[in-house]
Amino acid sequence: MPIPAAFRGDIIPEADKSKMDFGSGGNAELKAWRDIWGAGQGVANIRDILPAGQLIARMIGEYADTRGRLCTAG
């Protein structure tokens, strides 16, 4: 039996868009949907900011290390 998902259009009730408030608590300058960006759940995992080349090199090294451990384990 499938589990209904909240993003399915056929089970989401129609909203009255005239009653929706996408403001920013009375701040006329900033709009929540335009100016305030959410970073998502993973923001706490960011430890440093690297150039793309260094990040890719790190990921390649981590992959090689992990693959080596997994291939020799067991």
Side-chain angles (χ1 to χ4, degrees):
M1 180 173 131
I3 300 171
F7 57 83
R8 286 185 34 201
D10 59 329
I11 63 172
I12 298 175
E14 188 65 30
D16 183 356
K17 295 173 182 68
S18 67
K19 294 181 181 177
M20 292 183 184
D21 179 13
F22 293 104
S24 297
N27 188 332
E29 297 290 321
L30 297 176
K31 298 293 180 192
W33 52 269
R34 183 190 66 205
D35 302 313
I36 302 170
W37 293 17
Q41 298 293 329
V43 72
N45 293 324
I46 297 173
R47 301 286 180 244
D48 53 7
I49 299 173
L50 302 172
Q54 287 181 359
L55 181 59
I56 292 167
R58 178 195 291 175
M59 292 171 67
I60 290 170
E62 290 172 355
Y63 168 79
D65 291 344
T66 302
R67 185 170 184 240
R69 284 194 310 273
L70 291 173
C71 290
T72 59

